[in-house]
Amino acid sequence: MASSFLCSSVQNRLLQYRAVPKALLCFTLCYILWFSLSLISVSGQSFACGDGASSFPFCDKSLAADARVADLVQRLTLQEKITFLVDSAGNVSRLGIPNYQWWSEALHGVSSIGRPGAKYSTDIPGATSFPQPILTAASFNNSLYEAIGRVVSTEARAMYNMGLAGLTFWAPNINIFRDPRWGRGQETPGEDPLLTSNYSSGYVRGLQQTDSEDKNRLKVAACCKHYTAYDLDHWNGYDRYTFNAVVTKQDMDDTFQPPFRSCVLDGNAASVMCSYQQVNGKPTCADPDLLSGVIRGEWKLNGYIVTDCDSIEVYYDNQHYTKTPEEAAATAILAGVDLDCGFFLSNYTEGAVRGGLITEAAIDKAITNNFGTLMRLGFFDGDPSKQPYGDLGPKDVCTPENQELARESARQGIVLLKNTPESLPLSPTAIKSMAVIGPNSNATNTMIGNYAGTPCNYTTPLQGLTAVVSTTLVAGCVNVACGTAQVDDATKLAATADATVLIVGADLSIEAESDDRTDLYLPGQQTLLITEVAKASKGPVILVIMSGGGFDITFAKNDDKITSILWVGYPGEAGGAAIADVIFGFYNPSGRLPMTWYPQAYLDKVPMTNMNMRPDPASGYPGRTYRFYTGDTVYAFGYGISYSTFNHRLVRAPKQVSIPLEEDHVCHSSNCQSLDVVEERCQNLAFDIHLGVKNMGKMSGSHTVLLYSSPPSVHNSPKKHLLGFEKVFLSSQGEALVKFNVDVCKHLSVVDERGNRKVALGDHVLHVGDLKQTLSVRI
C-alpha cells in the first residue's frame, strides 16, 4: 500500500511538468522502490525447476521444448497467464516459477537501464563499456561486431549467475539514422541499410550463439528494435508518442525494413520490439500486417514480440486509437504482441477476455512464445550453476582482454577527416608540451553515451594524452553548451604549446532519447573557441569531435590553421587511450563515416517529419542519405582517410551477366526495364569480384574496402548503394587480394514503387574508390 501511494504521488507531481505516458514517468522512481522492497539476495537467488518442482514435465530436459512449453501453459489459470504478458512477470509458487524481469539492456555492454536492469555489487562493480554503436559501425568490420556481442553476452551470463542481470536483452537498436538531428542516432549503426543489416546480424549472433550442438539454444536473447520507421523523438512540436510516419512502400522495403529482416533471418534474433509511433496511420504495436504478417509470417520469428515501454498505453491514451483500454489490450495481442513492456496488459487483458474481445487461446499463443524463449535460455532447467555457462562469474567480467577489445573497437572506429601533410601523427619525442582544450577534454560519462552501465574504468582523453606527453588543460567551456567561452586562457596556452588538441562536440544534453537537435552547428561558443585557439596556436592544431551525429564544421575544414580533424563518436570507457593511440601514430586510423555530414542549409529544406528518402525536384526536397541526397555535403558517407595511401586494382570481374528467362516471357518481345526477383530465376546468378589492394605508405594499417553499385535509373533507384565491405590489414608496401561475392538478385536488385524487388536491366557501375567497372545485366 505504501509503495502504491508513493508511486501515485510521484506520478501526479511529474505530470504537472510533462505530458508523457504516466507509466513512463513512474518507471524509475517506482521501480527503485519496488525493487528495494522485493530484492532477493544473490545468495538466496531463486530459480525455476528447483528440487521442489523438478517432477513437472515442463522441467524435464529430456522432452522437446515445445512439449515442455505446452505442459506449462495448460497448468496455468487465466489470471496466472496474464502475469506472463508483461515484462515484470509474476511468480507461480505452486509450480516453482519465480519472478522474472524481462527488461535488460545491452546496447554496447551490459547496461543498468531496465526494470531493474543490471545491478552491480562488490563482486562485480562494473562491466566493459564499448563505444556507442555509431562509432563501432564506423569500423566497417563484421568480425568486430560479433566479437563485441560475444564479450557482452559472456559478461551478461556471469552477472546472471550472480543474480545481477536477466537473460533477455533489448538490443541492438537498428533503426536507420535517417535525419542528422535525431537524438538517438548515436545508438544506431548509421544511415545505410546494408551496414545496419550486417551490424545487426553480427551483434545478435555474438550475443546469442552458444557452444552447444543444439542450435536452438541461446546464450542470451537479443531484440531488434524499434520496429519500424522510427527516427523522430521530439522535434518542433512533434513527438514519438503521437507522430504518424507516412512511408511509401518503396522506402519501407528498401530502407527501413532490411535491417530488421536481416536481424531476424540472418541473426536469428529471439525478439523484435515494436515502436511508439504510427506508420501510415496505425500504431506499429497494433498492426497485424507488420507483426503477425511480416515478423511472424514472412520472417518466421523464433521468439517473442515485445512493445516499447508503454506503447499500448500510448496508442490508447495519446493516440486515441481505441475507444476502451480493453480494446487496446485485445488489439495488441491479436496483432501479434506477446509481451508488454509496462502494465497495460496486466490491467486490461482479463476484461478483454470477459468482454469477448479476445479468447484465452490468443493469450496462450502469446505466452507460448515467451516461455519458448525462456526455455531456449535454460530458465526452466534448474540451477544456473549446473548449466552451460554456469561457471561464469566475476573473473569473466572486465577482464584485461575485454577491456583491450573496448580500446581496439574505439581505435577501429575513429575517423580521420582532415590531415594536413606532416601534421599527424605527432611524434611522442618531439612534442614537449601539449595544450588540451575543450569541454570534452576530460570526459567520462560523455564517452559512453546512453544505455550504459558502470564501466570497468575510464581513460579520459586528457589521461590518454598525458600518458604519452606532458599536457596542460584549459577546458575553455564549463560544459558542451559553452554559453561563454573562456577564450583568453585557452589562447595563451595554445600560443606556447608545441601542439594543441581541441576536444569538443556534444553529450546527452545536446542529443539524446526524447531530445532531437535543432541545428547542425557546434553548441554555444565552441566555434569561437576553436577559431581563436587555432589562430593563436604555435604548433599543429588537432580538432577532436566527440558526438553521435555530424556537425556542419565547414569553418574548420577550410581553416588552414586547423591541421587535423578527428571524429571519435562516443568512444566508450577506453576512448581517451584510443584517441591518443591515433594522434601519436600507435594506430593508423581506418574508420569511415557511417552517416552523411550535411551543411546547416540542408535543414532548411528538410523537416524531420518528411519520411521520404528520395528527392523531389518539383518541391526542392533534396532526398536523404548518401543513397538519394543530391546536394553538397561537409563529409560524405564512407569518408575517412589514413596515414597511408592505399591503391586498388581490378583483378577479376565480369562485364556482363545474362538472366535466363522462360521462352514465353513477355520481356523477349517487350523492352523491359527490370525483372521480378523470382527464386527459380535467381539460382546460379552470383559472381566474384577480385580486387588487389596495396599499402603505398610507410605505416602498417587496416584499410576498409567499400564496394558500391550505381544501378540503372529505373524505379527511382538509388544513385549508388553499398554492396559489401571488407577490412584488410596491410603492412607497409604490403598487398592483399580482397574478394566480394555478388548475388545479382540480392545485391543488384532495386525496390520498385509498389515495394516489389526487381533486378534492374542495363548497365550497373561497380566502384571502389576511383576504380570503376561497368557490368551489363541482360536477359
Side-chain angles (χ1 to χ4, degrees):
M1 178 71 84
S3 62
S4 176
F5 174 77
L6 178 58
C7 279
S8 178
S9 299
V10 171
Q11 176 177 292
N12 290 335
R13 285 293 297 273
L14 291 176
L15 280 170
Q16 297 174 27
Y17 298 101
R18 194 173 181 193
V20 298
K22 293 190 289 290
L24 281 178
L25 293 169
C26 212
F27 267 177
T28 304
L29 290 175
C30 293
Y31 257 81
I32 289 173
L33 174 66
W34 175 87
F35 194 71
S36 67
L37 294 175
S38 61
L39 183 65
I40 301 172
S41 67
V42 172
S43 61
Q45 179 187 6
S46 59
F47 49 84
C49 295
D51 293 337
S54 58
S55 61
F56 293 118
F58 67 82
C59 293
D60 186 349
K61 292 183 284 186
S62 69
L63 296 178
D66 290 350
R68 296 174 67 187
V69 170
D71 175 74
L72 173 55
V73 171
Q74 62 89 23
R75 292 178 184 277
L76 300 172
T77 66
L78 174 62
Q79 291 74 23
E80 288 169 341
K81 291 174 183 178
I82 289 171
T83 67
F84 294 104
L85 291 172
V86 294
D87 67 292
S88 297
N91 68 80
V92 182
S93 56
R94 65 185 179 84
L95 299 178
I97 302 174
N99 292 313
Y100 180 72
Q101 298 293 335
W102 284 83
W103 183 8
S104 292
E105 300 279 357
L107 181 67
H108 53 110
V110 181
S111 169
S112 54
I113 301 298
R115 196 183 351 240
K119 305 178 292 295
Y120 299 96
S121 67
T122 53
D123 292 320
I124 302 181
T128 309
S129 188
F130 291 92
Q132 276 283 51
I134 194 69
L135 187 70
T136 298
S139 71
F140 283 86
N141 185 346
N142 290 319
S143 62
L144 179 65
Y145 308 152
E146 191 164 335
I148 293 173
R150 283 197 299 271
V151 167
V152 174
S153 62
T154 294
E155 295 195 347
R157 268 283 176 174
M159 295 179 73
Y160 170 73
N161 291 342
M162 298 292 292
L164 300 173
L167 291 169
T168 45
F169 290 83
W170 294 346
N173 179 342
I174 56 171
N175 294 114
I176 294 294
F177 196 175
R178 174 188 62 99
D179 190 289
R181 291 161 287 199
W182 190 31
R184 302 189 74 175
Q186 61 183 287
E187 301 175 28
T188 77
E191 71 181 37
D192 180 70
L194 178 80
L195 172 60
T196 305
S197 295
N198 284 20
Y199 179 94
S200 67
S201 58
Y203 188 63
V204 166
R205 283 193 298 269
L207 287 175
Q208 293 193 162
Q209 285 184 351
T210 71
D211 303 323
S212 170
E213 294 181 1
D214 181 0
K215 299 305 178 185
N216 198 44
R217 192 79 176 186
L218 296 170
K219 191 177 179 186
V220 301
C223 176
C224 321
K225 65 183 191 183
H226 312 78
Y227 183 80
T228 180
Y230 161 57
D231 48 23
L232 180 151
D233 269 63
H234 191 268
W235 176 83
N236 200 28
Y238 293 89
D239 66 56
R240 61 184 177 176
Y241 306 119
T242 55
F243 179 56
N244 178 28
V246 179
V247 187
T248 67
K249 276 291 293 178
Q250 188 172 33
D251 286 340
M252 182 69 82
D253 290 335
D254 92 334
T255 294
F256 298 110
Q257 292 291 71
F260 290 97
R261 185 179 190 277
S262 181
C263 201
V264 174
L265 292 178
D266 301 327
N268 195 27
S271 178
V272 175
M273 175 184 285
C274 53
S275 55
Y276 289 112
Q277 90 290 357
Q278 296 185 358
V279 173
N280 297 327
K282 288 185 179 180
T284 63
C285 294
D287 190 335
D289 294 330
L290 285 176
L291 304 186
S292 297
V294 176
I295 298 175
R296 188 75 63 187
E298 293 180 22
W299 300 343
K300 310 299 182 187
L301 174 72
N302 181 15
Y304 68 101
I305 296 173
V306 61
T307 71
D308 204 341
C309 295
D310 288 326
S311 290
I312 305 174
E313 179 189 351
V314 163
Y315 74 66
Y316 172 67
D317 276 350
N318 297 61
Q319 299 172 16
H320 309 295
Y321 188 69
T322 63
K323 292 181 180 180
T324 68
E326 290 78 14
E327 287 176 348
T331 298
I333 295 171
L334 293 174
V337 166
D338 302 307
L339 189 74
D340 172 20
C341 177
F343 310 101
F344 204 88
L345 291 186
S346 62
N347 292 336
Y348 298 108
T349 299
E350 184 171 358
V353 173
R354 303 299 181 207
L357 299 173
I358 192 171
T359 64
E360 190 170 346
I363 297 170
D364 290 350
K365 185 178 179 181
I367 64 172
T368 292
N369 293 326
N370 299 338
F371 287 140
T373 303
L374 291 178
M375 203 70 73
R376 296 169 66 196
L377 288 161
F379 182 78
F380 293 103
D381 290 351
D383 188 347
S385 67
K386 298 177 182 178
Q387 297 181 39
Y389 305 107
D391 60 338
L392 295 177
K395 70 182 189 311
D396 303 292
V397 182
C398 288
T399 66
E401 295 81 9
N402 293 357
Q403 294 184 66
E404 179 57 30
L405 183 62
R407 182 172 180 169
E408 175 65 16
S409 302
R411 284 191 295 235
Q412 288 198 28
I414 289 173
V415 182
L416 180 61
L417 296 172
K418 175 183 178 180
N419 197 30
T420 304
E422 300 183 1
S423 175
L424 288 183
L426 298 180
S427 167
T429 55
I431 301 297
K432 304 301 182 184
S433 62
M434 173 177 282
V436 181
I437 298 169
N440 279 332
S441 294
N442 209 20
T444 54
N445 286 342
T446 296
M447 293 198 302
I448 61 175
N450 64 358
Y451 284 86
T454 301
C456 308
N457 50 54
Y458 288 110
T459 303
T460 73
L462 179 65
Q463 290 170 336
L465 296 168
T466 304
V468 183
V469 297
S470 175
T471 63
T472 303
L473 170 67
V474 171
C477 301
V478 174
N479 50 39
V480 295
C482 198
T484 302
Q486 291 81 51
V487 173
D488 290 345
D489 290 343
T491 55
K492 287 176 184 176
L493 177 63
T496 61
D498 292 338
T500 298
V501 179
L502 282 150
I503 306 174
V504 299
D507 64 11
L508 294 181
S509 70
I510 303 297
E511 50 182 5
E513 184 173 2
S514 299
D515 192 6
D516 298 325
R517 289 160 57 187
T518 57
D519 61 55
L520 298 181
Y521 295 126
L522 288 168
Q525 294 190 357
Q526 286 191 32
T527 296
L528 172 66
L529 177 69
I530 294 164
T531 302
E532 293 302 311
V533 166
K535 192 184 303 180
S537 293
K538 180 180 78 169
V541 177
I542 299 96
L543 178 62
V544 177
I545 297 173
M546 191 177 292
S547 69
F551 288 102
D552 183 348
I553 54 167
T554 304
F555 78 96
K557 181 180 180 181
N558 296 335
D559 188 339
D560 292 339
K561 287 286 289 180
I562 298 173
T563 52
S564 305
I565 302 175
L566 291 167
W567 174 69
V568 301
Y570 293 119
E573 64 174 41
I579 291 167
D581 289 341
V582 170
I583 287 176
F584 288 104
F586 304 133
Y587 189 88
N588 196 345
S590 60
R592 303 290 192 93
L593 288 179
M595 72 297 201
T596 303
W597 284 34
Y598 300 91
Q600 172 65 22
Y602 175 76
L603 302 190
D604 298 334
K605 302 177 181 179
V606 182
M608 275 195 81
T609 49
N610 190 329
M611 299 293 293
N612 291 333
M613 301 302 297
R614 289 157 167 80
D616 180 7
S619 66
Y621 181 71
R624 295 184 180 275
T625 78
Y626 82 95
R627 298 169 70 225
F628 303 103
Y629 174 56
T630 54
D632 296 329
T633 63
V634 179
Y635 289 108
F637 171 89
Y639 181 78
I641 56 179
S642 168
Y643 298 149
S644 300
T645 300
F646 296 88
N647 284 356
H648 308 104
R649 62 185 176 87
L650 186 64
V651 176
R652 190 176 86 186
K655 294 186 177 180
Q656 182 171 314
V657 172
S658 297
I659 300 178
L661 292 181
E662 52 273 24
E663 292 183 4
D664 60 347
H665 195 282
V666 66
C667 289
H668 284 301
S669 56
S670 300
N671 185 20
C672 294
Q673 292 184 316
S674 62
L675 295 170
D676 290 329
V677 170
V678 179
E679 184 177 348
E680 297 78 13
R681 188 179 297 148
C682 291
Q683 293 177 357
N684 303 316
L685 280 181
F687 58 87
D688 289 336
I689 294 178
H690 291 186
L691 292 164
V693 184
K694 183 174 182 178
N695 181 354
M696 308 299 291
K698 297 178 181 178
M699 286 185 66
S700 299
S702 293
H703 176 59
T704 301
V705 183
L706 303 178
L707 174 64
Y708 294 97
S709 169
S710 292
S713 296
V714 297
H715 303 305
N716 274 322
S717 59
K719 62 178 186 176
K720 72 173 185 177
H721 60 114
L722 190 63
L723 298 188
F725 53 88
E726 289 290 337
K727 194 136 188 166
V728 57
F729 181 84
L730 295 170
S731 59
S732 174
Q733 303 301 311
E735 295 185 70
L737 190 69
V738 176
K739 184 177 79 170
F740 291 96
N741 182 260
V742 178
D743 184 300
V744 173
C745 289
K746 180 179 180 181
H747 297 112
L748 298 184
S749 59
V750 298
V751 175
D752 72 8
E753 294 79 357
R754 297 181 178 180
N756 301 311
R757 190 157 286 278
K758 305 269 192 174
V759 176
L761 298 175
D763 289 342
H764 297 248
V765 180
L766 307 177
H767 43 107
V768 174
D770 295 329
L771 191 67
K772 294 185 178 181
Q773 168 79 12
T774 299
L775 172 70
S776 178
V777 177
R778 299 283 185 257
I779 60 172

